[in-house]
Amino acid sequence: MSAKLNALNSDSYIDVSQYRDQHFKGNRYEQEKLLKQSHTLYVGNLSFYTTEEQVHELFSKSGDVKRIIIGLDKIKKTACGFCFVEYYTRADAEHAMRFINGTRLDDRIIRTDWDAGFKEGRQYGRGKSGGQVRDEYRQDYDPARGGYGKLAQQHPAGESRNSF
Amino acid sequence: MSGTLPVQRRSSSKQEIIDARLLPEKLTVYTTLVGLLNARNYNFGGEFVEAMIRQLKETLKNNLYNEAVYLVRFLSDLVNCHVIAAPSMVAMFENFVSVTQEEDVPQVRSDWFVYVVLSCLPWVGKELYEKKDVEMDRLLSQIEGYLKRRVKTHVPMLQVWTAEKPHPQEEYLDCLWAQIQKLKKDRWQERHILRPYIAFDSVLCEALQHNLPPFTPPGHMPDAQYPMPRVVFRMFDYTDAPEGPVMPGSHSVERFVIEENLHCIIKTHWRERKTCAAQLLSYPGKNKIPLNYHIVEVIFGELFQLPSPPHIDVMYTTLLIELCKLQPGSLPQVLAQATEMLYMRLDTMNTTCIDRLINWFSHHLSNFQFRWSWDDWSDCLTVDLEKPKPKFVKEVLEKSMRLSYHQRIVDIVPPTFSALIPAEPSFIFKYADESASSLPGYAVSITVGNAIKNRASNEEILTILKEVPNPNQEDDDDEGESFNPLKIDVFLQTLLHLAAKSFSHSFSALAKFHEILKTLTDSDEGKLHILKVVYEVWRNHPQMIAVLVDKMIRTQIVDCAAVANWLFSQDMAHEFTRLFIWEILHSTIRKMNKHVQKIQKELEEAKDKLEKQQHKRVTDMDKNSEDEEGQLEEQIERLQEKVESAQSEQKNLFLVIFQRFIMLLTEHLVRCETGSVDISTPWYKNCIERLQQIFLMHHVTIQQYMGTLENLLFTAELDHHILAVYQQFCALQL
């Protein structure tokens, strides 16, 4: 019976995820506090070609968007597949977590997560090659995200890594 | 069931069961449980009923009418479980129906009490008739009399379609009455509701029943907010589900119960789309009904509900996608069938509902690679492009482009649809190249452009702009302070052209040159002209226009009234029926409303603070407290003025909007009358329904200004077509 009753108040789509920003200036407690009050979402798995206009159109469906910051490759200064969306109210951001997270933008399933708040410098990818860390190591071919992952590009499959 | 429950959990389970009222679709499971507990422990039953009555009183006091319906329904089903004696339930119903005899109360009040009684009868009608048929007949007769004399002015405003065919959009009480009448004719035989208590009848019939205490409905309070009337949305009937179980008829009580339960499931689980979809698809008794059709009908019914859907629009899009995922072999087909039907009936669909359909369909398509059989809709190419069908397709393609890009749209539609494809969203720069060199502002535009690129200061730029001649003036005897449309044109066109790359670039530009823009738009004419220029340069990119207007309001470069005047101006008349115009207008009104609410909140907070401070002073006797109080009082005075000023601006905004509507509509009606032409052009339908939309979307705010509106604008001299809209709106809360 109590499982059903938990369903009455369940709102799991707006829960804070396990991810914590390693570069966050402050302790875990402070970061969690900010996440729970945040009006800003991190949006991941974007195509490199997804524009601010497309992000604005989609995310406006859950409320008025205050600001969008497109994530950039640190070296090339071109879009590298993520962005931040800031709303005027927490409630609007929550609706985005419930109804836009896990749906498609530019034919790709995008993922949203709470963000502690945009600070200058956070718009850059943290991967060694300038893009996002996930694009350093992935093995698959994704034409909307620069093709193969950076490591796989340097060591294409089929070439042996060890000389023995 | 209750044999396994430990005795100690009695009191906690009372609370849990009361919480179960929030799962109304499982109502009969919980009433059965209460019945069994009551059979074992008479006192438990008594306490439980008392607790529910207390809760009912609370919900009614707090305007929670929708919750109260479920509480009463729960109580009535407890009659079936031998917890409550039938005669006492009938007595409660009699008290409810007696509200229809009250004088000088809003119709929506008595509506609610009648609705509650009728909506319980599918569950308990049989039992009550078996015990008290004379009283029940009298009750129903009273209800019938009430329904006959009820005023139904509000109905046209709430109907999704204006046509009666194929399914009339019935007023909700009329429909429910017809369903109950049919149920009565069928001798209260109702086969859809799951009734677990039947299996336990041998135990339950031994139980002692309780009498409900006499329940007087609380009197009408002036600040009571009764639920608004509704219209029953139907789009399917038994002919639409090709195979499998038959859809219950529109006046069958089964239809009512299924729809009620599906609405309840959405109400409970809307925040969690996977759970919501799963719960909808596992509806008990689903094998006997065409469940997918019911689900799709209920979801569209909520999405198209007027004045507004119960939940945020995007929830329905995502829920439908979730349902398609869970039933990939059947639901997408039903959804496609529904979309086709909605398209076929666009000609008589309410404009507000068409807006929602456009937004839903384009967003839905963007999740499925825009796959659609557009050729099936090639009939829309053969009529005037202002007609509802081609207009709908055009707007869908425009919205689809916003979620993708221009070439994508070109690729997804057949070449025959090219007239409906939106324009490429490119900037139109007046001073682009040497072909523009004969234009008066050309030279300055180049100079200003270079200055901006070289990071010149505001003073330098203003100096350059002084060179722009003022077409409105003969002599140059002023310091360039008065309204100079050419100056605005040159500066803004050049600036926005440099910043055209993205929204962020344009926002930066507006921020960087905020001072200059404020100076240039100091007058009302200036504000109007800046909007005009924004439109001229970005008329192929309505999305950009909308975000720029939004930014300019928020940074006070223009005000809300200027935006309203601009949208209704002659210059924008050719765009008047396009969706983006109305999105901008409603967004503007919402910003105004939020602004007023924000200052009101600040005022309330300051007042609270003062109260606390005064309290403190009494206890602390502190000189500093006195000073603080004085400061707070000053702050409150300032905020009070701010609130009044904001409300005045808000009232003025609505007056401007309504005045403009009245002017436009009157002009059209007079012209048609003198020319003996039919008034019902596509333009007229759009305009009159847009007027309705203003009332419906902002009814809470507009209620405050009813007096002014009636005295100044919606007077008896007005053409009856226009006045009807106002009267229908008033009828929503009478």
Side-chain angles (χ1 to χ4, degrees):
Chain A
M1 180 114 116
S2 41
K4 260 295 139 63
L5 289 170
N6 284 338
L8 300 178
N9 303 315
S10 187
D11 201 359
S12 58
Y13 283 77
I14 66 168
D15 285 345
V16 172
S17 75
Q18 306 288 9
Y19 174 86
R20 294 292 177 270
D21 181 5
Q22 300 298 330
H23 293 210
F24 177 77
K25 300 258 176 4
N27 62 38
R28 274 296 143 98
Y29 170 76
E30 284 161 354
Q31 193 176 159
E32 281 194 30
K33 188 158 177 259
L34 286 174
L35 291 173
K36 291 207 170 101
Q37 302 166 343
S38 172
H39 301 184
T40 306
L41 299 178
Y42 162 87
V43 184
N45 199 36
L46 296 180
S47 151
F48 285 12
Y49 307 104
T50 298
T51 60
E52 186 188 349
E53 286 71 12
Q54 287 168 296
V55 173
H56 193 281
E57 178 69 13
L58 181 61
F59 282 85
S60 291
K61 291 183 185 293
S62 74
D64 290 338
V65 170
K66 185 171 178 184
R67 184 163 65 144
I68 293 170
I69 296 133
I70 298 286
L72 301 175
D73 182 300
K74 195 161 191 158
I75 299 165
K76 298 192 217 147
K77 301 292 199 288
T78 53
C80 70
F82 74 99
C83 73
F84 297 102
V85 177
E86 189 187 338
Y87 288 91
Y88 288 100
T89 69
R90 166 92 184 175
D92 292 345
E94 287 179 352
H95 280 324
M97 289 290 286
R98 294 185 190 108
F99 307 122
I100 300 177
N101 186 16
T103 65
R104 290 187 191 267
L105 177 56
D106 235 357
D107 296 318
R108 302 172 67 88
I109 303 271
I110 58 168
R111 193 180 57 82
T112 65
D113 198 2
W114 291 109
D115 188 79
F118 176 74
K119 289 240 168 3
E120 180 55 38
R122 297 192 67 234
Q123 72 268 42
Y124 296 111
R126 294 173 181 167
K128 274 198 287 275
S129 315
Q132 288 198 279
V133 171
R134 61 200 294 258
D135 288 312
E136 290 292 314
Y137 301 109
R138 63 178 174 78
Q139 299 285 318
D140 63 321
Y141 181 77
D142 189 344
R145 287 183 74 102
Y148 288 105
K150 290 291 181 287
L151 207 62
Q153 281 174 22
Q154 287 157 26
H155 302 281
E159 249 180 48
S160 54
R161 311 246 173 106
N162 298 323
S163 44
F164 308 133
Chain B
M1 214 197 305
S2 66
T4 57
L5 264 185
V7 164
Q8 300 93 291
R9 285 189 59 203
R10 240 181 297 144
S11 53
S12 62
S13 41
K14 221 191 300 166
Q15 191 50 49
E16 285 175 351
I17 297 175
I18 292 182
D19 284 341
R21 64 176 156 80
L22 295 170
L23 284 174
E25 63 275 15
K26 308 266 198 269
L27 183 124
T28 50
V29 173
Y30 294 108
T31 53
T32 306
L33 178 61
V34 175
L36 291 169
L37 289 168
N38 178 60
R40 298 190 77 203
N41 184 331
Y42 178 77
N43 286 334
F44 170 82
E47 282 169 25
F48 186 88
V49 170
E50 268 169 39
M52 284 216 84
I53 294 287
R54 272 199 304 273
Q55 196 127 41
L56 179 59
K57 286 197 173 116
E58 273 302 301
T59 52
L60 288 177
K61 213 167 69 173
N62 294 319
N63 282 320
L64 297 169
Y65 292 98
N66 293 326
E67 257 181 59
V69 171
Y70 302 134
L71 285 170
V72 178
R73 203 177 286 167
F74 197 100
L75 286 170
S76 66
D77 204 43
L78 285 178
V79 173
N80 292 324
C81 302
H82 297 260
V83 178
I84 293 176
S88 67
M89 195 73 223
V90 174
M92 182 186 248
F93 283 173
E94 282 170 344
N95 280 346
F96 280 12
V97 175
S98 68
V99 171
T100 60
Q101 304 300 318
E102 287 176 6
E103 292 185 356
D104 292 325
V105 293
Q107 182 174 280
V108 284
R109 171 179 160 84
S110 29
D111 279 355
W112 185 81
F113 285 97
V114 165
Y115 174 74
V116 169
V117 172
L118 288 177
S119 74
C120 291
L121 294 183
W123 279 264
V124 74
K126 182 155 184 277
E127 187 65 21
L128 295 183
Y129 248 83
E130 275 175 15
K131 298 275 156 54
K132 287 276 180 182
D133 63 333
V134 171
E135 285 79 357
M136 288 302 292
D137 271 334
R138 191 164 53 220
L139 204 69
L140 286 186
S141 161
Q142 262 188 295
I143 291 177
E144 186 172 22
Y146 171 72
L147 292 177
K148 282 213 176 88
R149 59 176 198 267
R150 245 178 113 232
V151 167
K152 290 191 284 194
T153 322
H154 55 275
V155 174
M157 201 175 219
L158 302 177
Q159 286 174 320
V160 173
W161 291 285
T162 52
E164 282 284 297
K165 291 193 172 17
H167 310 111
Q169 301 290 287
E170 279 187 282
E171 211 269 349
Y172 79 114
L173 277 183
D174 289 342
C175 184
L176 182 54
W177 175 249
Q179 288 162 328
I180 298 301
Q181 289 288 81
K182 184 161 186 299
L183 177 62
K184 184 175 171 205
K185 254 205 215 109
D186 293 341
R187 292 184 354 209
W188 304 99
Q189 297 301 325
E190 187 289 319
R191 298 190 200 289
H192 180 81
I193 297 173
L194 237 57
R195 297 174 194 265
Y197 37 81
I198 294 177
F200 295 96
D201 195 51
S202 52
V203 175
L204 293 175
C205 70
E206 300 291 318
L208 287 171
Q209 295 168 342
H210 303 265
N211 282 319
L212 279 175
F215 189 95
T216 328
H220 171 64
M221 302 293 282
D223 62 343
Q225 282 158 6
Y226 303 101
M228 263 201 236
R230 336 180 254 300
V231 157
V232 177
F233 178 83
R234 292 278 162 68
M235 62 181 292
F236 293 128
D237 60 38
Y238 71 95
T239 62
D240 295 306
E243 350 154 303
V246 173
M247 193 166 221
S250 59
H251 283 168
S252 72
V253 85
E254 281 76 24
R255 195 74 178 260
F256 172 77
V257 172
I258 294 165
E259 286 167 2
E260 263 298 287
N261 285 338
L262 293 177
H263 281 300
C264 284
I265 292 173
I266 296 174
K267 189 159 188 264
T268 306
H269 298 289
W270 66 271
R271 292 179 190 84
E272 298 203 320
R273 64 212 206 211
K274 283 191 167 59
T275 309
C276 195
Q279 288 292 314
L280 286 170
L281 289 170
S282 58
Y283 181 71
K286 60 183 174 166
N287 297 318
K288 304 203 196 99
I289 54 175
L291 182 61
N292 285 343
Y293 285 86
H294 284 291
I295 291 174
V296 167
E297 189 177 69
V298 163
I299 288 176
F300 277 126
E302 290 203 7
L303 180 63
F304 296 138
Q305 185 176 297
L306 296 167
S308 40
H311 305 288
I312 187 172
D313 294 33
V314 69
M315 184 278 283
Y316 299 103
T317 311
T318 315
L319 179 59
L320 284 168
I321 292 173
E322 233 23 76
L323 288 162
C324 285
K325 275 198 227 164
L326 288 176
Q327 293 267 291
S330 55
L331 206 120
Q333 290 88 316
V334 176
L335 198 50
Q337 189 183 350
T339 308
E340 180 67 34
M341 289 170 75
L342 293 168
Y343 169 82
M344 297 292 280
R345 301 182 57 193
L346 280 171
D347 288 332
T348 54
M349 194 185 218
N350 183 297
T351 303
T352 303
C353 300
I354 298 181
D355 288 352
R356 296 188 202 155
L357 183 59
I358 292 165
N359 284 323
W360 167 73
F361 190 49
S362 53
H363 188 190
H364 180 85
L365 285 179
S366 76
N367 274 271
F368 297 97
Q369 297 119 33
F370 296 105
R371 273 180 277 122
W372 185 250
S373 45
W374 298 99
D375 274 317
D376 289 353
W377 289 355
S378 48
D379 63 323
C380 78
L381 302 169
T382 60
V383 297
D384 168 24
L385 293 185
E386 276 300 302
K387 284 254 155 77
K389 281 181 183 168
K391 203 157 173 45
F392 167 76
V393 174
K394 206 157 178 270
E395 297 282 4
V396 165
L397 294 178
E398 197 178 306
K399 284 278 166 153
S400 299
M401 182 177 74
R402 293 192 195 189
L403 289 167
S404 57
Y405 48 95
H406 188 261
Q407 187 56 44
R408 189 77 192 278
I409 305 304
V410 173
D411 292 340
I412 62 164
V413 294
T416 43
F417 276 67
S418 56
L420 300 180
I421 294 175
E424 260 196 81
S426 46
F427 189 92
I428 299 170
F429 190 33
K430 196 179 197 173
Y431 307 107
D433 53 35
E434 299 214 339
S435 59
S437 55
S438 55
L439 293 174
Y442 179 72
V444 182
S445 124
I446 297 187
T447 319
V448 161
N450 288 330
I452 293 173
K453 281 187 252 190
N454 293 325
R455 302 172 197 278
S457 70
N458 284 354
E459 289 79 40
E460 289 168 327
I461 293 180
L462 280 169
T463 310
I464 297 170
L465 288 175
K466 279 213 183 87
E467 297 306 313
V468 178
N470 189 340
N472 288 353
Q473 275 186 303
E474 298 290 307
D475 10 299
D476 208 6
D477 62 342
D478 79 321
E479 290 303 296
E481 295 305 331
S482 72
F483 167 57
N484 182 343
L486 190 58
K487 201 190 275 195
I488 296 176
D489 190 65
V490 168
F491 178 66
L492 194 56
Q493 287 234 11
T494 311
L495 179 65
L496 289 181
H497 178 239
L498 288 170
K501 186 155 188 249
S502 75
F503 288 179
S504 286
H505 286 84
S506 298
F507 295 160
S508 287
L510 289 180
K512 193 146 181 250
F513 296 97
H514 184 254
E515 243 183 79
I516 298 184
L517 291 166
K518 284 277 288 189
T519 313
L520 290 174
T521 61
D522 203 25
S523 60
D524 281 346
E525 307 152 296
K527 293 184 172 66
L528 208 55
H529 198 75
I530 199 177
L531 293 164
K532 196 172 164 185
V533 173
V534 167
Y535 170 75
E536 272 178 24
V537 298
W538 278 121
R539 60 188 181 269
N540 288 332
H541 198 350
Q543 191 195 11
M544 175 68 94
I545 297 177
V547 301
L548 288 178
V549 171
D550 175 83
K551 212 39 119 193
M552 292 194 296
I553 293 175
R554 291 186 191 271
T555 55
Q556 297 170 323
I557 294 171
V558 299
D559 56 41
C560 295
V563 174
N565 278 318
W566 162 64
L567 292 171
F568 280 94
S569 70
Q570 193 51 41
D571 288 332
M572 296 300 282
H574 62 293
E575 304 279 37
F576 196 68
T577 58
R578 282 181 70 184
L579 182 49
F580 83 93
I581 296 290
W582 301 98
E583 289 182 335
I584 294 177
L585 184 61
H586 286 289
S587 171
T588 303
I589 298 173
R590 274 198 307 271
K591 278 190 275 286
M592 181 80 248
N593 295 347
K594 285 194 183 142
H595 174 67
V596 170
Q597 282 165 5
K598 182 160 166 270
I599 309 178
Q600 279 171 332
K601 190 162 169 239
E602 281 173 29
L603 178 61
E604 288 309 307
E605 282 168 0
K607 281 187 179 162
D608 284 342
K609 238 174 138 186
L610 180 66
E611 223 182 282
K612 285 198 182 97
Q613 195 63 35
Q614 283 168 337
H615 205 66
K616 213 173 139 220
R617 173 162 66 91
V618 168
T619 52
D620 280 2
M621 305 292 260
D622 189 359
K623 170 111 192 12
N624 287 341
S625 312
E626 256 184 58
D627 289 339
E628 271 193 54
E629 249 184 71
Q631 275 179 10
L632 276 174
E633 277 168 359
E634 256 183 59
Q635 192 190 22
I636 288 177
E637 225 184 278
R638 267 182 283 128
L639 282 173
Q640 191 73 53
E641 278 173 24
K642 239 178 134 185
V643 165
E644 280 164 17
S645 155
Q647 281 175 328
S648 169
E649 198 188 331
Q650 185 183 53
K651 181 159 81 165
N652 183 56
L653 177 61
F654 281 111
L655 284 176
V656 165
I657 292 170
F658 286 130
Q659 256 163 2
R660 294 296 212 139
F661 265 115
I662 291 173
M663 274 161 50
L664 282 174
L665 286 165
T666 309
E667 223 182 80
H668 171 86
L669 290 165
V670 165
R671 208 180 322 126
C672 289
E673 209 182 316
T674 43
S676 298
V677 167
D678 184 17
I679 59 167
S680 300
T681 59
W683 180 91
Y684 175 73
K685 179 179 186 285
N686 177 81
C687 191
I688 196 100
E689 287 178 0
R690 291 295 179 195
L691 172 60
Q692 268 180 2
Q693 191 183 37
I694 304 283
F695 280 113
L696 289 175
M697 281 179 70
H698 307 286
H699 61 93
V700 175
T701 318
I702 295 175
Q703 306 273 25
Q704 300 167 48
Y705 303 120
M706 297 291 269
T708 311
L709 292 177
E710 210 161 309
N711 291 333
L712 287 185
L713 297 177
F714 293 98
T715 58
E717 287 93 53
L718 215 53
D719 185 299
H720 67 96
H721 293 96
I722 309 173
L723 198 54
V725 174
Y726 179 71
Q727 288 164 342
Q728 285 163 17
F729 170 69
C730 294
L732 287 178
Q733 268 292 295
L734 287 177

